[in-house]
Amino acid sequence: MDDNVVADLPFDSAPDQSETFVDANSDFDIDHIDSHQLIERSDETSSSATFIPSSSSSGNPNIPDNEPVLSFLRVEERGGATSRVYSSPDGTIFWKPDVDPTFVPVLYSVYDSWEAVSDMYETYVAKAGFSTRLGTHKHSGDVTKHRYILCNRAGKPKQKTIDSSDKSSLSTTKTVRSSLTDCDACIRVKFDVETRQFVLYVFREAHNHELIGPDFMDFTKRRRKLDFSTQQFIHQMSLNKLGPNIAHRVQSSLKGGHHNVHGSTTDFKNFSRSIRLFIGNRDAKLVMDTLQARTENLHNFFYECLVVGSELKSFFWADDVSRCNYEVFGDVLSVDATYRTNVYRMIFVPFTGVDHHNKCVLFGAGMISDETIESYTWLLSTFLKAHLKQPVLVLTDQDSSMKEAVTSVFNESVHHFCAWHIMRKLPSKILGEILANTDLRKSIHKLVWNLHIDKETFEDRWHELFAKYDLTDHEWLSQIYEIRSEWVPAFFRDVPMSCLMKTTSRSESSNAHFKVNSSLSNTLLQFLLCFDTALDWQRNNQRKMEFETNTTTPELHTPLPIERHVAAVYTSSLFKKVQKEIKFSLFYCPVGDTRTVGDTKIYTVSHNNKNFVTVNRYAVSFNVADQSVMCSCLLFPRIGYLCRHVYHVFRFYDTNRIPDRYINRRWT
C-alpha cells in the first residue's frame, strides 16, 4: 500500500442491539466464527491467539475492504508520543498512533480472560498516548456477551452560547472546558460461551484529536486511580501522623517526580520530608558538592558561589528549565529578598516571572548572608552572567541597597518598587481606628491599583482623598507620595508588560511557598532539598495547565468568529481573560463620536461598568490602510492582549482574526 494512504478511518459508532453483532464495515459475523479462522497458540500461558486472515484486498486484517481512503499529512510528536496525521476526503483530521506493531491489537485475536484483554489494550494505550474508559456491556442473562473499551474523549461535548441581544445572559455564562471530541477509537470484544474466551472483533485505531503522549499520562483519570500499593502507602504514612498530602510528595520524590506517581496532589493531598539528616559543620561543603555534581551531570545547570576566607557568603543557582523560562518570559523580573529560611539566617532570594499561563515561574534563586549593596551587586551580576540578557522591567521592595545594586547592574532596565510591598504596610503606618471606621483602606487600594487612569488623575484624586480624611500632613503617606513615580502603576503604564505583575505578591506568593517547605531550623542542604520539592510542585502545576490547554476545548460565549480564533491562539488561562474582553465589548463599550484623520478613523469608546454607567472614555485609532489599531487605555502594551474597546471597533470592519502583530507570543 502507498505510504501516503491508510485505511483506518473509524467505524460507525454503535453496534446493533441484537445478540448477533456484525460490524457495519465488515462481512465478519462474530457469532459464527469458523474454527479455521482462529488457531489458538500452543503456549497456554499466553492469552492471545494467532489470526489467519480471511481474503482481503489490502491484506491487513485490521482494515475492512470498504474503508475510505485517507491522505497522509505529516508525522507529529507530542509529549513523547508519535502519531501519523491523516485527512479524510471531507477534510476531517485523524491521528493514528505510531506504535510498534508488536503492541497493536489484532482483529479476531482470542483472550482467555477480560483482564488479559484490558492489559493488552492498556499496554498499547500507554505507548500510543491516550486514555481510556469502559464502555457498554451487553448481557444475555447472567453472561456478559460484549464489552467495549473506549477512548476517554468519546462522546459529544455540550455547547452553550450567549445571546448577543440579551444582556442578562452575560451573568449566566461560565467558561467550561470539555475533553470530549466524539472520538471513535475503541476496541470491542465478544465472549464465546462455548470456549469461554474473548474475541476481539472491532479495533478502531484513528482518533479525531491530538494524542497526549506518555509525558502527560499521569494526568489522565485512569492513571490517577490509586492502586492498592499506593493506598497502603498512604495508610502507613498516616500511622506515623503524616497526612495524605505529605504522602503524595514523598512518593513523588521516591519515584522521580509527579509524573511517576499514580494520583495527583488533589487525589493524595500531600508531601513531607520527615527525616532530618544531621549534617553538622559539613553543611556548606555538602551544598557546594551537590551543586557541583549537578553542574557535571545536568544539562545547562549553572551555579556560582562567593567564599570569603572559609565562610560561604553567597551562592546562586539556576537549572536548564529556569534558564529556558527566562529566555522566553524574562521581560519582567521580580526580586524578593524578605525571607530567612535556614539556621544560619541567610536570606533566600528567588527571581520570579510570569509564564504563558499567567502563573509564577522561577528564573533562579540565590542565598546571601547580608543585605548590603555589595551582596546584592554580586547576586544580580551572577544572575546576569547565567542569563546573559537584562529584563525590560525589574520590580523589588523598597530596600535602598537593592535599588543601588539594580541601578548598577541592570543599567538597561526600568526599575520600580513593588506596590504590594508598600501597600501591605498601610495598617501599621496609619492608626487602626481610622482604617476600621472609614473606607480609607479600600479607597487607597482602589486608587493605587486603577490601571485606567493617568498620573495627573492619580495626583488629583490622591489630594482629594487625603483632604477628605485629614491626612495631608501624614509623614509616611507624604513619603510614599514623593516617590509615587517609582511604585504607582499609573506612572509607568506605557512600559511594555509593566502590569504583568500587577502585584509582586506573585513573588511573595512564590517565596512563601518555598518557605512553607522549609523552616528556620533547616540546614542549607535541607533547604536545598525542600526547594527542589517546591520547584517540582510549581512545574507540575505548569504541566497541568499545559495539559488542559492541549487536551480541552473552551466553551465559546459569543457567535463572533474572532472568539474562535482567540481560543485557538491563546493558552486556556489567557483565553478566559480575552474572552471577557470580547463579551464586554458587546454591551459595555458604546461608541460616541467618530472622526477621520487621513487613513485613520478615531473612535471615542465609552468604558461602562456592569450598571451601564460610564466610568471612562478612550480613543481607539484604526488605520484602514495597514489595519493597525491603538487604544488610549494601553492594555496591549501593559499586558500583551487587546482590550474590549478595540474588539468593539473590530466589529465595524468584520475583523474575524486578531492581526498577527497583536498576538504576543508569550501568551500563546
Side-chain angles (χ1 to χ4, degrees):
M1 182 179 289
D2 191 324
D3 287 340
N4 291 333
V5 177
V6 69
D8 59 348
L9 191 68
F11 296 75
D12 59 338
S13 57
D16 186 63
Q17 301 297 317
S18 64
E19 278 301 325
T20 301
F21 280 70
V22 181
D23 190 83
N25 294 316
S26 173
D27 294 331
F28 180 74
D29 186 342
I30 191 62
D31 280 320
H32 300 85
I33 304 174
D34 293 331
S35 60
H36 72 275
Q37 288 181 292
L38 297 170
I39 299 179
E40 294 184 5
R41 295 178 60 173
S42 58
D43 182 5
E44 295 182 355
T45 62
S46 174
S47 60
S48 63
T50 303
F51 171 66
I52 301 178
S54 56
S55 60
S56 172
S57 60
S58 66
N60 187 340
N62 283 343
I63 304 174
D65 294 338
N66 59 344
E67 281 290 301
V69 174
L70 297 178
S71 301
F72 174 77
L73 297 180
R74 63 185 181 276
V75 174
E76 185 171 287
E77 185 172 358
R78 181 185 292 274
T82 303
S83 56
R84 298 173 70 85
V85 186
Y86 299 89
S87 174
S88 67
D90 65 356
T92 305
I93 304 300
F94 293 95
W95 284 260
K96 175 186 173 184
D98 193 358
V99 178
D100 187 326
T102 306
F103 303 102
V104 177
V106 178
L107 279 178
Y108 316 139
S109 297
V110 175
Y111 300 88
D112 294 327
S113 66
W114 170 250
E115 289 72 20
V117 175
S118 179
D119 291 344
M120 175 276 300
Y121 197 51
E122 285 305 312
T123 300
Y124 165 76
V125 163
K127 297 180 180 298
F130 65 98
S131 182
T132 62
R133 61 180 172 86
L134 293 178
T136 307
H137 292 188
K138 297 293 182 181
H139 299 273
S140 177
D142 296 330
V143 179
T144 300
K145 298 295 292 288
H146 299 272
R147 303 187 76 168
Y148 310 152
I149 302 179
L150 311 178
C151 173
N152 199 45
R153 303 187 73 174
K156 295 183 179 180
K158 296 180 180 179
Q159 292 293 335
K160 295 181 181 179
T161 59
I162 67 168
D163 184 357
S164 60
S165 64
D166 181 11
K167 302 180 180 63
S168 63
S169 64
L170 280 175
S171 61
T172 61
T173 57
K174 181 180 179 182
T175 299
V176 178
R177 300 183 69 87
S178 172
S179 62
L180 302 181
T181 63
D182 203 21
C183 181
D184 262 342
C186 68
I187 62 169
R188 299 177 184 174
V189 295
K190 160 82 175 184
F191 180 70
D192 191 314
V193 179
E194 295 181 2
T195 64
R196 312 296 296 176
Q197 293 176 316
F198 290 86
V199 182
L200 175 66
Y201 71 98
V202 170
F203 169 45
R204 297 178 180 169
E205 190 173 12
H207 300 255
N208 65 354
H209 56 85
E210 296 177 339
L211 304 177
I212 60 177
D215 292 351
F216 295 107
M217 290 297 288
D218 56 306
F219 289 119
T220 61
K221 289 183 179 180
R222 196 171 186 88
R223 273 292 303 274
R224 286 173 55 189
K225 184 178 180 181
L226 304 182
D227 55 27
F228 175 77
S229 63
T230 303
Q231 294 173 340
Q232 187 179 43
F233 178 79
I234 296 172
H235 175 67
Q236 291 172 341
M237 295 290 283
S238 68
L239 296 179
N240 291 282
K241 297 184 179 180
L242 298 175
N245 194 38
I246 294 175
H248 182 276
R249 298 196 184 186
V250 170
Q251 196 167 68
S252 69
S253 298
L254 294 174
K255 293 188 175 182
H258 288 77
H259 58 285
N260 293 324
V261 179
H262 284 265
S264 66
T265 51
T266 302
D267 304 317
F268 256 67
K269 290 181 170 179
N270 290 327
F271 156 78
S272 163
R273 189 168 298 275
S274 61
I275 300 176
R276 294 184 175 274
L277 302 175
F278 177 75
I279 299 174
N281 295 329
R282 300 179 63 244
D283 188 18
K285 186 177 187 306
L286 288 174
V287 169
M288 294 302 101
D289 289 346
T290 300
L291 295 177
Q292 180 61 36
R294 293 181 182 183
T295 303
E296 296 170 356
N297 295 287
L298 299 179
H299 172 69
N300 207 27
F301 186 90
F302 175 93
Y303 97 96
E304 195 162 296
C305 62
L306 175 64
V307 178
V308 178
S310 59
E311 181 182 357
L312 177 64
K313 301 288 289 184
S314 306
F315 60 98
F316 170 86
W317 72 100
D319 64 4
D320 180 55
V321 176
S322 294
R323 299 177 80 176
C324 289
N325 281 335
Y326 183 79
E327 181 68 26
V328 181
F329 308 120
D331 41 7
V332 177
L333 172 67
S334 172
V335 186
D336 188 12
T338 57
Y339 282 134
R340 300 178 186 269
T341 53
N342 54 81
V343 70
Y344 310 108
R345 305 287 293 174
M346 292 186 76
I347 302 161
F348 171 57
V349 185
F351 294 82
T352 308
V354 178
D355 68 6
H356 56 317
H357 298 293
N358 204 32
K359 300 296 183 182
C360 288
V361 62
L362 199 76
F363 300 143
M367 284 279 195
I368 55 177
S369 57
D370 53 47
E371 297 181 89
T372 62
I373 296 175
E374 292 74 20
S375 293
Y376 283 131
T377 300
W378 180 90
L379 184 63
L380 297 178
S381 298
T382 306
F383 175 89
L384 193 57
K385 183 178 179 180
H387 293 297
L388 303 178
K389 69 174 183 178
Q390 297 188 21
V392 175
L393 176 66
V394 182
L395 297 174
T396 70
D397 59 21
Q398 283 181 273
D399 187 275
S400 57
S401 298
M402 174 70 82
K403 179 181 179 180
E404 198 73 32
V406 169
T407 303
S408 173
V409 177
F410 295 139
N411 54 6
E412 299 174 6
S413 306
V414 178
H415 176 222
H416 287 292
F417 294 143
C418 165
W420 183 85
H421 278 103
I422 293 176
M423 294 305 293
R424 74 171 180 172
K425 299 176 183 177
L426 195 62
S428 63
K429 298 296 184 179
I430 301 179
L431 292 177
E433 183 177 351
I434 298 178
L435 287 182
N437 298 332
T438 67
D439 292 330
L440 174 61
R441 185 174 186 178
K442 179 180 178 181
S443 299
I444 294 177
H445 278 278
K446 186 176 181 180
L447 175 59
V448 168
W449 296 119
N450 192 332
L451 303 178
H452 300 290
I453 61 174
D454 54 28
K455 55 187 178 181
E456 291 79 12
T457 304
F458 171 83
E459 291 171 346
D460 291 341
R461 294 184 182 179
W462 177 279
H463 291 305
E464 292 174 3
L465 179 63
F466 290 95
K468 175 181 177 181
Y469 291 100
D470 195 23
L471 292 170
T472 306
D473 297 327
H474 192 282
E475 183 179 357
W476 181 75
L477 291 174
S478 298
Q479 289 175 355
I480 63 171
Y481 179 74
E482 288 298 319
I483 60 170
R484 59 192 180 280
S485 62
E486 298 185 68
W487 66 278
V488 176
F491 285 81
F492 48 97
R493 54 202 294 266
D494 57 337
V495 176
M497 310 307 286
S498 62
C499 293
L500 190 60
M501 285 192 186
K502 180 179 176 182
T503 73
T504 313
S505 59
R506 284 183 179 276
S507 178
E508 183 81 4
S509 174
S510 177
N511 201 338
H513 178 70
F514 291 116
K515 184 182 180 183
V516 166
N517 289 273
S518 63
S519 73
L520 286 174
S521 61
N522 276 347
T523 62
L524 293 178
L525 184 59
Q526 286 174 326
F527 173 78
L528 186 61
L529 296 176
C530 292
F531 170 88
D532 291 341
T533 303
L535 186 60
D536 181 59
W537 174 87
Q538 183 188 89
R539 290 175 179 173
N540 185 65
N541 284 341
Q542 187 182 51
R543 288 197 313 125
K544 186 176 181 180
M545 296 294 294
E546 196 77 7
F547 173 81
E548 179 183 342
T549 296
N550 291 336
T551 62
T552 60
T553 303
E555 179 183 337
L556 303 181
H557 291 170
T558 75
L560 301 177
I562 199 167
E563 187 185 4
R564 290 195 296 272
H565 183 229
V566 167
V569 168
Y570 292 122
T571 62
S572 59
S573 299
L574 256 294
F575 171 73
K576 295 174 185 176
K577 294 180 178 293
V578 180
Q579 184 184 51
K580 178 181 176 182
E581 298 296 320
I582 294 174
K583 288 196 301 181
F584 281 27
S585 72
L586 293 175
F587 302 114
Y588 301 126
C589 299
V591 173
D593 64 306
T594 304
R595 55 194 176 92
T596 303
V597 180
D599 291 331
T600 302
K601 291 272 191 179
I602 302 176
Y603 299 85
T604 300
V605 181
S606 297
H607 184 105
N608 292 352
N609 60 23
K610 292 185 178 180
N611 296 321
F612 300 97
V613 176
T614 300
V615 296
N616 218 326
R617 289 183 174 85
Y618 299 102
V620 178
S621 304
F622 187 89
N623 189 297
V624 180
D626 62 10
Q627 300 292 295
S628 62
V629 65
M630 182 179 67
C631 181
S632 60
C633 79
L634 300 178
L635 181 68
F636 180 75
R638 286 203 317 270
I639 306 292
Y641 57 84
L642 293 173
C643 61
R644 64 192 67 176
H645 320 112
V646 168
Y647 283 115
H648 189 83
V649 171
F650 275 169
R651 295 174 64 196
F652 299 152
Y653 297 92
D654 294 326
T655 303
N656 295 330
R657 296 173 59 87
I658 304 174
D660 290 343
R661 74 182 78 177
Y662 301 114
I663 299 177
N664 193 314
R665 286 188 59 202
R666 71 151 18 255
W667 298 128
T668 61

